[in-house]
Amino acid sequence: MATLLHIDSSVFPGEASSSRSVTAAFRKTWEEQHPEGTVIYRDLAATPVPHITAAAWSAGYTAPSERTPEQSAAFAARVELIEELEQADAVLIGAPMYNFSIPSPLKAWLDSVLLLGRTAGETPSAQGTPTVVVASRGGSYAPGTPREGYDFVQNYLEAVLKNTLGLDLHFIVPELTMAPRNPAMTELIPLYETSRKRALEDAAAKATELAELLAA
């Protein structure tokens, strides 16, 4: 049966998080399609992976027999994350926008799994893996909006996940998520509700699509 690697990175729990709500909708449909499948789950907010260190980075370019004990331990932690990515038949990532970019725990995960000569390079080891990113944001950064140039989430993740790791990338973008909480955005609540509804529907539809693709 298929294996889903599910990663959340929002600091907010459950329904308080737009990205978690949408990844949960995807996962629910996925598990309905794969009741005997496997889900590898990492909540990077609850259990952060270590930020990259000199030992963890240099170990990737040092022969195993020449690594120090510190390098070996740090690299083993990276390999665990890399193997989870390589074993996955599909990847689901919750990536809310914080200060125009991704949460730092998600960046730490990416720094660990990106290894030249294995997951990156001429033949990335997870190349072609279907990957859905839920890129939620409090406002709107769509073309034509005042802050369209401030979105460093989708461009960055496309460069890393698609162009470097070779993943087959798809974005779901719930936007205006601050509208119900910010009085200044009250008039935007209908647009927020439309965006949320569409995101939840897209998540379920994409989960079904991938389930059927992998079952074929």
Side-chain angles (χ1 to χ4, degrees):
M1 296 297 291
T3 296
L4 173 69
L5 174 59
H6 175 188
I7 296 170
D8 278 323
S9 62
S10 171
V11 298
F12 299 104
E15 289 294 318
S17 164
S18 293
S19 65
R20 287 181 187 271
S21 297
V22 178
T23 59
F26 180 104
R27 179 169 167 176
K28 179 177 182 293
T29 300
W30 175 274
E31 290 180 327
E32 290 171 350
Q33 300 289 327
H34 295 285
E36 298 179 1
T38 300
V39 176
I40 301 171
Y41 182 57
R42 282 197 175 267
D43 186 336
L44 299 179
T47 310
V49 302
H51 284 276
I52 199 78
T53 63
W57 183 86
S58 61
Y61 305 98
T62 304
S65 61
E66 297 177 4
R67 291 173 187 155
T68 66
E70 182 185 11
Q71 285 179 315
S72 296
F75 192 66
R78 290 186 68 186
V79 168
E80 180 181 356
L81 300 174
I82 288 170
E83 289 180 344
E84 289 177 352
L85 175 63
E86 292 172 337
Q87 293 165 6
D89 296 293
V91 179
L92 172 66
I93 300 174
M97 178 187 285
Y98 292 161
N99 299 316
F100 312 120
S101 187
I102 62 173
S104 62
L106 180 55
K107 178 62 163 60
W109 179 83
L110 289 168
D111 287 340
S112 286
V113 300
L114 201 161
L115 180 62
L116 188 63
R118 182 165 176 173
T119 59
E122 291 186 7
T123 55
S125 55
Q127 186 170 14
T129 303
T131 300
V132 175
V133 173
V134 179
S136 60
R137 60 276 317 277
S140 178
Y141 301 83
T145 60
R147 289 189 169 183
E148 70 171 282
Y150 284 64
D151 180 358
F152 301 103
V153 172
Q154 288 183 257
N155 288 347
Y156 172 71
L157 291 179
E158 183 167 349
V160 176
L161 298 176
K162 179 180 178 180
N163 299 338
T164 304
L165 297 178
L167 306 179
D168 181 9
L169 185 61
H170 176 82
F171 283 104
I172 296 175
V173 185
E175 61 179 11
L176 300 169
T177 62
M178 286 299 296
R181 303 178 181 87
N182 185 347
M185 299 175 67
T186 299
E187 64 180 20
L188 299 175
I189 289 177
L191 293 177
Y192 152 74
E193 292 173 341
T194 297
S195 178
R196 176 180 170 81
K197 181 175 183 290
R198 182 171 59 245
L200 292 170
E201 291 172 349
D202 286 351
K206 195 65 180 178
T208 299
E209 175 190 329
L210 292 182
E212 292 174 350
L213 175 67
L214 293 171

